[in-house]
Amino acid sequence: MSEKGTDREKWDTPPGHFGSKTDEWSTPPELLRSLEKAVGGFDLDPCSGAERKSIAEQTYTAEDDGLKQAWFGTVWCNPPYSDMESWMQKAVNESNREDVDLVLVLAPARTSTQWFHKYATKADAVAFLEGRLTFGDPREQVRNAPFPSIIAVFGEYPEDLGDTLDRRGMVYRSDQRDQRTQQTVIA
Ligand SMILES: C[S@@+](CC[C@H](N)C(=O)[O-])C[C@H]1O[C@@H](n2cnc3c(N)ncnc32)[C@H](O)[C@@H]1O
């Protein structure tokens, strides 16, 4: 099955009246608030539209095409899940540009996909969130994700963010990888 085929697996389909396949999985406000606090707010949301209230000072919708824009500052990216490959690649590329301080990507924890192995593994930290998210705003409509989620962090991140992510699940930190390997060898 192709990468895009994998992304479009049936478990994308939300239950009930949300219809069939959709990319409109808006970030749970409570999760967003804790992350905003930890990073001091977001400058850019390059994949915007589904949220009730703007997440960042600058937003790009499908019409603007966030994949074609230059990113900057501290970026919140909860991309259309139907094209994870393009968005993860963009996140990696943009995070290497000087204008970009930090990129946080909320993504389904599809650890068997090519995009995960090609791009999520380049993150400075990956948090594997415990439980499953309830997407949407409780003041409107919510829906429980039929999949687990990760937050991939690209760039040097504040300690507060590390602590916030630690409270949400298991956090893999790339700077600790060699340390663990060494310990294993010595043992
Ligand atoms: C998973 S939702 C996230 C919405 C919001 N950023 C949030 O975190 O709650 C992804 C959003 O990206 C929008 N989108 C789709 N293609 C896009 C594109 N090429 N550029 C920018 N936004 C896009 C979708 O319409 C959708 O609202």
Side-chain angles (χ1 to χ4, degrees):
M1 184 182 281
S2 73
E3 168 62 16
K4 281 195 175 161
T6 307
D7 270 350
R8 292 176 193 281
E9 279 169 0
K10 285 230 165 19
W11 51 260
D12 272 336
T13 308
H17 53 275
F18 283 100
S20 56
K21 306 225 162 60
T22 177
D23 275 331
E24 308 301 315
W25 298 88
S26 75
T27 308
E30 178 272 327
L31 172 64
L32 201 54
R33 274 194 297 271
S34 67
L35 297 170
E36 270 169 357
K37 196 165 166 227
V39 301
F42 293 102
D43 300 306
L44 174 69
D45 175 0
C47 29
S48 146
E51 67 280 10
R52 190 174 190 258
K53 182 172 166 268
S54 286
I55 289 167
E57 285 186 16
Q58 172 78 59
T59 58
Y60 298 134
T61 61
E63 209 176 305
D64 307 314
D65 193 356
L67 284 171
K68 291 201 177 126
Q69 308 285 342
W71 295 7
F72 59 89
T74 301
V75 181
W76 173 250
C77 177
N78 174 19
Y81 295 167
S82 57
D83 189 12
M84 284 307 306
E85 170 96 19
S86 305
W87 287 90
M88 287 299 281
Q89 184 179 22
K90 176 78 172 170
V92 170
N93 291 344
E94 291 294 311
S95 67
N96 288 323
R97 290 181 47 250
E98 269 198 11
D99 287 351
V100 176
D101 299 320
L102 191 61
V103 179
L104 269 62
V105 183
L106 175 63
R110 296 177 190 162
T111 54
S112 62
T113 57
Q114 291 174 5
W115 64 256
F116 182 88
H117 287 271
K118 271 201 270 184
Y119 303 116
T121 50
K122 294 197 166 45
D124 292 277
V126 181
F128 294 83
L129 304 186
E130 193 180 332
R132 292 187 178 184
L133 294 176
T134 299
F135 284 90
D137 193 305
R139 286 165 294 183
E140 293 179 333
Q141 256 178 350
V142 294
R143 59 196 161 122
N144 298 320
F147 49 80
S149 298
I150 57 166
I151 295 176
V153 179
F154 299 91
E156 221 175 287
Y157 56 94
E159 210 177 305
D160 266 5
L161 179 62
D163 294 344
T164 300
L165 294 176
D166 277 334
R167 286 194 288 275
R168 296 270 171 181
M170 199 280 286
V171 182
Y172 160 83
R173 290 170 164 81
S174 68
D175 61 354
Q176 289 176 3
R177 186 169 62 178
D178 293 342
Q179 215 177 315
R180 271 203 302 276
T181 308
Q182 248 178 358
Q183 284 168 358
T184 308
V185 171
I186 291 164

